[in-house]
Amino acid sequence: MQNRFDSKRILVTGGGSGIGQATVLRLLNEGGAVIAADISKDGLQETVRIAKEWDAIDNLRILEIDLTDELAIEQKIGSEIKSIGGLDVVVNAAGILRAAHFHETTLDLWNTLIKTNLTSTFLVTKTVLPALLEAGKGVIINFSFTAANYSHPYFAAYAATKGGIQALTHAIAAEYATKGLRAINIVPGGIETGMTKGGALAFPKDIDTSLFAKQAAALPGGLGSPHAVAAAIAMLASEDGRFITGTELRIDGGAHM
């Protein structure tokens, strides 16, 4: 495999599962020095186990952290960046997914989604931005979701967080383009992760399943693999994506054509 990330220093949040974990493994395999950050100790240990199986453990560092804690982000992530001598890429893959009728969405659920998805992306990006600018060709990969652009029932609060991330990313891309920084949104849909497989996502009992008909992937095979998303991230974060910024890449098997 081409080592597009030799000498590159990378932070991946949500690195203990799903797309974040797949991204950690992909970028390690392409020669990157990767910090995998996650609130789940068990998830991080699973990432370590797989990295060992892939013979890609040498350049992996793990960081157990609550990404809603501003002080922890500043201190722990700041320390990790200093210890590896800077940062070239951040992939903000951490987040949670919740479903509810809009009229039953509580303020507590709304605030939890905003804090965990949108505010954590803001805090991490703000903390690492000086290092990315110092690198000269820094890259920010953030995560929106198809619900931010297309009508997804039962995901109003979640969609709002992802729409906010999408707008945030565009603003950052515009503000820092002349300094060599790129910022891109990944827009996944229908990807098999711990949040979506095995009935892990709890829907209201009285949902109308017909509302999801237009969201079925056009490509055969059902849900997509996190590794398909990781492959796209590897392209965008490398020099192969050097002319791409301030935009989205939708990865959903053609569900929203």
Side-chain angles (χ1 to χ4, degrees), residues 70-90:
E70 182 177 11
L71 185 59
I73 290 170
E74 291 175 352
Q75 293 181 343
K76 291 185 177 183
I77 291 181
S79 177
E80 288 291 325
I81 291 173
K82 185 176 180 180
S83 69
I84 62 174
L87 196 69
D88 298 284
V89 179
V90 62

Side-chain angles (χ1 to χ4, degrees), residues 67 89 140 159 162 180-181 200 232 245:
L67 293 172
V89 179
I140 298 168
K162 293 302 182 176
L181 184 81
T245 191

Side-chain angles (χ1 to χ4, degrees), residues 84-223:
I84 62 174
L87 196 69
D88 298 284
V89 179
V90 62
V91 180
N92 284 307
I96 60 172
L97 177 62
R98 299 289 186 270
H101 285 297
F102 177 70
H103 67 274
E104 294 176 348
T105 300
T106 64
L107 182 59
D108 182 63
L109 175 58
W110 172 270
N111 286 337
T112 296
L113 283 163
I114 292 289
K115 179 174 66 174
T116 308
N117 295 346
L118 179 56
T119 303
S120 68
T121 297
F122 159 71
L123 290 173
V124 172
T125 304
K126 182 182 176 184
T127 297
V128 305
L129 185 61
L132 294 175
L133 293 174
E134 186 177 346
K137 292 184 178 180
V139 181
I140 298 168
I141 305 289
N142 287 334
F143 274 73
S144 182
F145 184 63
T146 50
N149 299 101
Y150 302 90
S151 54
H152 283 213
Y154 316 112
F155 288 122
Y158 179 73
T161 70
K162 293 302 182 176
I165 289 171
Q166 197 159 294
L168 175 72
T169 306
H170 279 258
I172 292 169
E175 185 170 349
Y176 297 99
T178 59
K179 299 183 184 299
L181 184 81
R182 295 190 293 115
I184 306 108
N185 283 304
I186 296 292
V187 186
I191 303 299
E192 185 173 12
T193 70
M195 294 190 293
T196 60
K197 68 181 179 182
L201 180 59
F203 282 96
K205 293 181 180 179
D206 59 342
I207 65 169
D208 181 353
T209 56
S210 70
L211 298 176
F212 292 95
K214 67 179 181 179
Q215 294 164 27
L219 296 175
L223 295 176

